Amino acid sequence: MNEYDSELVRAILSEAGYSFTEDAQLADVVMLNTCSVRENAHRKVYGLIHDIRHGHKGKPVVIGILGCMATGLRKELIDNKSLGLDFVVGPDSYKRLPEILRDVFEKHGQGYDVTLSEFETYSDIYPTRTGGVNAWVAVMRGCNNFCSFCIVPFTRGRERSRSVENVLDEVKRLIGEGFQQVTLLGQNVNSYHHEGQDFAALLEAVSRIDGIRRIRFTSPHPKDFPESLIRVVGENPKICKHIHLPLQSGNDRILGLMNRHYTATGYLNLVEKIRKVCPSAALTTDIIVGFPTEIAGEFEDTVRVMKAVEFDSAFMFKYSPRPNTQAARELKDDVSEDEKTSRIMRINTLQSDISLKKNKARVGTIEEVLIEDVEKAKGGVAYARNDVNKVVALPAGNFQIGDFMSVRIIRATPHQLKGEIIS
Ligand code: SAH
Ligand code: SF4
């Protein structure tokens, strides 16, 4: 979502006459678009601010913070003299950036706007993409779920969706520019709804656009996955057979404390339904270990569900308390760091074994992949993705970025497949 938002910011500032460089040392203004979902993000950002000033060797540079940290930390950031920030702008205020920058330059003051909006969807801005084969398209913003560990509802505000027509217009324009794959984005993408149209209807409408080859989406919430959505994903050939379905925990007491609105059995039933309608679907997930009060036996329930589902891959995190969230306010972060480390190592190893097993099962199969990157050095290697979002490494050949190729899978590691071109 932040990548998409950075593309929105590019569009807004290009329109206002700014041009862009990827080299922070050449820039007059440097903006850091930040995430604060997990704890370590702001340490990284403070380090980066220091590096940027250092890189500029005394030459003046205007530095601003965008994104979730802006709303999350508010005044703290702007008042912190040692950071010396010039502006702090939250995710719903990017249209004000030209005005804020003008004030910073003309009045030499600090700019600040972290207001959250119930309506802003940036539906009138066409983001400036910087290449690649995938175009992100945010179809909704914000989140109303208030999972007890999660800072997103506080930093990104209430849920709001764009109209189907508006999303279709953007995707048509993208196809006209040569993109063949879009990824529909939302904090809780399957709670998308606009004037009676739900996420399944939106997916179908996007799939009817001429020229679209691949549609992906992220992140859906297990509680918003009706049969109609499973059917669209299973039956529509344009929709990639990969579902990222965050589990978080396999224990019902912890899921209740997390405010996730499903049980382990409910989750497993959903997986069963998905696999029935769409047997080829790859399932990936997010897991949190060491949520407050999680005891060893409850963590074992997560291990059990991971073994039962056999996810293709998983993002695994140690719980960290985030400011304002219900868990941080009401529950003590009482699982020791050592225990969190040992739990995460355990599931890392488990998942790596499962991912390897899943990937090995694809050896010998023929798959269609989309070439994403070609490295000419060292004899040349290319990276592509198959329909279920796995990276396939290939020897560079007579093809280029954006080509669809047919490959045979010849080797597998836990994180990657290796293939050879057939045609
Ligand atoms: N909207 C998605 C998740 C967005 S945040 C969903 O509903 O599942 C991405 C992931 O970060 C979450 O799925 C969760 O696993 C992790 N995460 C969020 N807050 C966290 C916290 N306080 N501590 C550890 N991990 C967290
Ligand atoms: Fe956070 Fe839950 Fe919303 Fe996902 S659904 S963004 S985890 S509050």
Side-chain angles (χ1 to χ4, degrees):
M1 188 62 95
N2 269 8
E3 277 187 40
Y4 182 82
D5 281 1
S6 294
E7 292 166 353
L8 284 172
V9 168
R10 268 175 192 271
I12 292 164
L13 288 178
S14 303
E15 178 70 28
Y18 287 86
S19 59
F20 287 82
T21 167
E22 288 304 319
D23 184 349
Q25 292 188 30
L26 297 177
D28 302 308
V29 182
V30 178
M31 284 168 281
L32 301 174
N33 194 358
T34 57
C35 168
S36 52
V37 165
R38 288 174 298 273
E39 201 169 36
N40 289 330
H42 57 280
R43 281 192 217 128
K44 254 197 246 169
V45 169
Y46 292 160
L48 263 173
I49 294 171
H50 176 265
D51 292 350
I52 291 160
R53 288 213 193 285
H54 207 68
H56 269 255
K57 298 189 177 75
K59 226 171 67 204
V61 53
V62 165
I63 302 184
I65 296 278
L66 313 179
C68 294
M69 250 177 84
T71 5
L73 293 175
R74 293 160 193 258
K75 278 299 214 195
E76 212 176 304
L77 277 174
I78 205 91
D79 291 342
N80 184 333
K81 292 286 169 267
S82 69
L83 287 179
L85 287 173
D86 299 286
F87 61 99
V88 172
V89 175
D92 286 345
S93 310
Y94 297 146
K95 285 184 187 161
R96 286 205 55 225
L97 271 170
E99 181 194 337
I100 286 171
L101 275 172
R102 200 175 327 115
D103 281 357
V104 168
F105 281 116
E106 286 172 8
K107 300 183 189 150
H108 304 287
Q110 284 176 312
Y112 177 71
D113 190 345
V114 294
T115 323
L116 288 173
S117 156
E118 285 178 33
F119 310 103
E120 184 62 86
T121 58
Y122 297 102
S123 54
D124 52 335
I125 311 275
Y126 184 70
T128 309
R129 280 134 183 129
T130 50
V133 298
N134 175 70
W136 306 109
V137 179
V139 299
M140 53 89 71
R141 298 176 73 88
C143 184
N144 288 349
N145 287 330
F146 289 93
C147 300
S148 67
F149 53 81
C150 184
I151 201 169
V152 167
F154 302 93
T155 56
R156 286 189 165 266
R158 293 295 59 76
E159 177 187 308
R160 61 224 106 116
S161 297
R162 290 165 64 180
S163 73
V164 173
E165 290 66 37
N166 185 253
V167 173
L168 295 183
D169 285 346
E170 182 166 342
V171 177
K172 282 179 198 155
R173 198 163 156 187
L174 287 164
I175 300 299
E177 281 179 17
F179 285 96
Q180 295 162 295
Q181 173 181 297
V182 294
T183 305
L184 307 186
L185 288 179
Q187 308 302 331
N188 181 185
V189 73
N190 51 339
S191 75
Y192 171 92
H193 58 96
H194 192 269
E195 291 177 359
Q197 308 268 54
D198 64 5
F199 188 58
L202 178 71
L203 277 176
E204 287 225 286
V206 172
S207 78
R208 284 195 290 269
I209 294 176
D210 275 349
I212 188 103
R213 293 277 296 261
R214 280 184 168 179
I215 303 163
R216 301 188 185 281
F217 59 92
T218 197
S219 263
H221 192 299
K223 77 174 171 55
D224 296 315
F225 228 107
E227 300 264 355
S228 56
L229 180 54
I230 300 178
R231 256 198 320 280
V232 174
V233 177
E235 291 166 8
N236 191 313
K238 302 282 177 75
I239 300 169
C240 293
K241 307 298 176 246
H242 165 225
I243 302 177
H244 183 71
L245 201 60
L247 165 69
Q248 314 298 0
S249 163
N251 175 269
D252 290 349
R253 189 184 73 87
I254 298 294
L255 286 169
L257 283 177
M258 285 177 163
N259 203 21
R260 289 290 290 180
H261 300 286
Y262 53 84
T263 59
T265 309
Y267 185 94
L268 288 168
N269 288 342
L270 175 60
V271 168
E272 201 180 310
K273 277 191 216 154
I274 291 173
R275 289 201 164 138
K276 210 160 142 200
V277 177
C278 188
S280 63
L283 291 177
T284 59
T285 200
D286 293 347
I287 307 270
I288 298 177
V289 300
F291 186 82
T293 75
E294 181 189 68
I295 58 171
E298 291 169 327
F299 165 68
E300 289 306 322
D301 288 338
T302 301
V303 173
R304 253 193 295 280
V305 176
M306 289 177 76
K307 284 183 179 165
V309 176
E310 298 199 310
F311 294 105
D312 285 81
S313 67
F315 295 113
M316 292 159 277
F317 309 105
K318 295 182 197 173
Y319 169 78
S320 58
R322 311 306 298 124
N324 295 323
T325 59
Q326 193 190 346
R329 280 185 278 116
E330 295 176 5
L331 299 167
K332 194 162 156 253
D333 182 18
D334 60 355
V335 179
S336 71
E337 188 56 28
D338 282 354
E339 186 56 34
K340 285 179 188 167
T341 305
S342 115
R343 288 179 195 177
I344 205 150
M345 281 170 64
R346 169 103 184 276
I347 56 171
N348 264 320
T349 311
L350 169 69
Q351 185 53 49
S352 180
D353 290 346
I354 298 172
S355 298
L356 181 60
K357 179 178 144 193
K358 291 250 155 186
N359 285 351
K360 275 188 168 165
R362 305 186 90 87
V363 172
T365 59
I366 309 246
E367 309 205 352
E368 183 186 60
V369 300
L370 172 57
I371 308 293
E372 291 193 343
D373 197 12
V374 181
E375 284 172 15
K376 293 269 164 14
K378 290 192 214 142
V381 55
Y383 294 97
R385 252 172 228 273
N386 65 7
D387 185 83
V388 300
N389 209 32
K390 291 186 193 262
V391 174
V392 183
L394 300 163
N398 196 15
F399 52 76
Q400 48 191 341
I401 293 172
D403 286 351
F404 279 91
M405 305 298 292
S406 190
V407 302
R408 179 182 293 110
I409 305 301
I410 53 171
R411 267 179 51 206
T413 68
H415 304 294
Q416 214 179 66
L417 300 167
K418 290 210 162 44
E420 59 187 15
I421 298 287
I422 294 182
S423 58

